[in-house]
Amino acid sequence: MMKLNQVFFTFIFISISLLGFAQEEENEQELTTINSQFNEVIESSNNYQDYKVVKQNQLLQLQRKTVERIKSLNAEINNSKKTIEKQKAEVNSLNAELTQTQNNLNKITEEKDEISFFGIATNKGTYQTIMWIIILVLVLILVFFVYKYKQSNIQTKEAKINLAKNETEFDEYRKQALEKQQKLGRQLQDEKNKQNKNKL
């Protein structure tokens, strides 16, 4: 009798534990059915002092149903584990694909940010900096040559003005020298004429 009670309470404990695993409506209905069968067995059992006398047939039937339910739940748990493993594999596969996609995106972004400069892959920022430096150097060279050209132009103009002045001065000097020479020539002729007259 004591063994029967232990078995009975063991099954009650198992049934209550099974209630905790039930998540779907169908599972809950089955557990409710098992629970109602337990209640039915308890209610239909006879009282003997502080004990309940349960028919062995009813207890065995309830045990069979409980064991079947446990097997069914174990099968569901195994299926759930398989599903979880499958989903984990899918998640890992998706994570690998995501990582690959991210790597490809990073590579494309790097390639987009790079420019071939004299056959060397250069970052766009570095390339722009080099270009601005080259432009600045060329502008400075241009400014230097423009400055030099203006200086040369000024010097050329000054040289032309000086040359014109020198030519004018030279013309004036030549004119004065010619006049002086003509004057001296006339004086010399006058002296010769005077000497000739004196001789006569």
Side-chain angles (χ1 to χ4, degrees):
M1 182 68 72
M2 288 295 290
K3 285 184 181 179
L4 284 175
N5 284 334
Q6 286 176 352
V7 171
F8 177 73
F9 286 113
T10 303
F11 284 127
I12 290 175
F13 178 75
I14 290 170
S15 298
I16 292 170
S17 297
L18 291 174
L19 280 171
F21 291 106
Q23 294 177 353
E24 297 177 2
E25 191 176 335
E26 186 181 335
N27 295 344
E28 290 178 4
Q29 287 176 351
E30 286 188 32
L31 287 174
T32 304
T33 304
I34 291 172
N35 192 34
S36 62
Q37 287 176 358
F38 267 111
N39 289 334
E40 202 177 298
V41 168
I42 292 168
E43 286 173 6
S44 65
S45 61
N46 296 324
N47 290 329
Y48 176 74
Q49 294 179 359
D50 288 336
Y51 303 105
K52 284 277 188 180
V53 180
V54 179
K55 289 182 182 179
Q56 189 175 3
N57 186 30
Q58 286 180 334
L59 192 57
L60 290 174
Q61 188 179 2
L62 187 57
Q63 181 186 15
R64 182 178 53 79
K65 287 186 178 180
T66 305
V67 169
E68 285 175 2
R69 180 64 189 136
I70 290 170
K71 284 181 180 177
S72 171
L73 288 173
N74 283 335
E76 286 179 18
I77 289 168
N78 287 334
N79 287 336
S80 296
K81 282 181 180 177
K82 286 178 184 175
T83 303
I84 289 168
E85 289 300 321
K86 186 178 177 184
Q87 288 174 346
K88 277 184 183 176
E90 287 176 1
V91 167
N92 289 336
S93 174
L94 289 172
N95 282 336
E97 286 179 17
L98 180 63
T99 302
Q100 183 64 36
T101 304
Q102 189 65 43
N103 290 338
N104 290 339
L105 180 64
N106 290 340
K107 188 177 178 183
I108 289 167
T109 303
E110 285 175 7
E111 288 175 358
K112 192 185 88 173
D113 289 341
E114 288 181 352
I115 293 174
S116 181
F117 184 67
F118 296 115
I120 302 168
T122 310
N123 184 281
K124 269 190 180 177
T126 307
Y127 174 79
Q128 288 176 350
T129 304
I130 291 169
M131 285 295 103
W132 280 113
I133 289 171
I134 290 171
I135 289 168
L136 182 63
V137 168
L138 291 174
V139 167
L140 289 174
I141 290 170
L142 179 64
V143 167
F144 175 76
F145 279 113
V146 167
Y147 172 76
K148 281 291 184 183
Y149 172 76
K150 283 187 177 180
Q151 287 293 104
S152 298
N153 203 16
I154 290 168
Q155 288 174 358
T156 304
K157 283 180 180 177
E158 286 178 356
K160 282 181 180 179
I161 291 167
N162 290 334
L163 180 62
K165 282 182 182 177
N166 288 337
E167 283 178 352
T168 304
E169 286 176 3
F170 180 73
D171 285 343
E172 187 68 29
Y173 171 76
R174 191 175 62 180
K175 190 177 178 183
Q176 286 175 1
L178 187 60
E179 286 176 358
K180 202 173 190 182
Q181 190 178 4
Q182 287 173 352
K183 188 177 179 183
L184 286 173
R186 279 194 299 269
Q187 286 176 355
L188 183 62
Q189 190 63 40
D190 290 341
E191 284 297 322
K192 280 181 182 181
N193 290 336
K194 279 182 186 180
Q195 286 177 6
N196 287 335
K197 281 182 183 180
N198 290 331
K199 284 182 181 179
L200 289 175

